[in-house]
Amino acid sequence: LTPPVIEELTQEFGVRLWKARLDDSGDLTHLLDPAERERAARFRQPRHSHRFTAARGALRLILGALTGQAPGALRFHYSETGKPSLTGGPHFNLSHSGGLAVCAVSAQGPLGVDIEHIRANTDQERIAARYFAPDECAQAVGAGHFFRVWTLREAILKATGLGVAGMARLRDQTVAGRAEVEFNGTIWRMAEFEPEPGYAGALALARDH
Ligand SMILES: CC(C)(COP(=O)(O)OP(=O)(O)OC[C@H]1O[C@@H](n2cnc3c(N)ncnc32)[C@H](O)[C@@H]1OP(=O)(O)O)[C@@H](O)C(=O)NCCC(=O)NCCS
């Protein structure tokens, strides 16, 4: 677990980010609640179960330290679409891709974070045509650009809590290169970051809160 990694985001946005290398983590099952343990047990591959447990465990360690509560005693609430939150704050969001997880925390307002391992994706053009704004689509050649636009979109959708179900509604908005994007009645401040070489990362934070 590495403490705040991206200085600018801390200074400009008041958002703190942690990253965790999930495959290096010890077993954190003891920190999870029964429902989380059940989810962990449902993964077919032990590696995926370990990564889920490590990410949730890391999230609990961070939020426990920030709230002064025992990590294992934190009780998450879930929106209808599954976004976890804590009564009384802080706002947080988690993303994992491959063996890496990033947790973003803000005392200020709702936020969403998304990271993706940049890889060859045969469906890239089809997905871009369906979900990206026309100008982004034209540029969405190459995995680097594709994952950049994709994480920006996912960060907004995760901030709202809509998740991928909102992807089509966001289509007409250009997100790449924009400092702010208005969506679902909120202005979202946008930032991009590189969690590690070979990964794309994006963050959306409610501006007025
Ligand atoms: C959330 C979602 C966008 C995940 O995208 P992803 O790129 O595969 O995964 P990420 O690693 O970036 O994010 C997953 C994490 O975000 C959080 N999360 C879950 N649902 C979320 C939501 N609706 N909004 C924001 N964050 C969410 C969780 O912490 C989750 O990780 P965990 O369960 O291991 O703790 C996608 O799964 C989704 O849209 N889910 C909603 C499904 C839905 O609408 N269900 C309602 C029934 S129709």
Side-chain angles (χ1 to χ4, degrees), residues 127-148:
I127 296 170
R130 187 151 173 204
Y131 295 119
F132 291 8
D135 54 334
E136 290 167 346
C137 222
Q139 297 168 35
V141 186
H145 182 78
F146 174 81
F147 282 107
R148 190 180 154 224

Side-chain angles (χ1 to χ4, degrees), residues 19-36:
K19 70 175 170 183
R21 293 214 179 85
L22 304 174
D23 295 336
D24 298 346
S25 162
D27 186 14
L28 299 178
T29 304
H30 61 285
L31 298 179
L32 271 47
D33 68 21
E36 290 169 327

Side-chain angles (χ1 to χ4, degrees), residues 39 52 56 80-84 93-96 113-114 116 154 157-158 161-165:
R39 265 187 77 189
F52 169 79
R56 278 290 171 130
E80 271 180 22
T81 50
K83 183 173 181 176
N93 199 226
L94 175 77
S95 182
H96 31 93
V113 68
D114 192 53
E116 294 287 345
E154 279 245 37
L157 295 171
K158 292 185 72 187
L162 289 169
V164 286

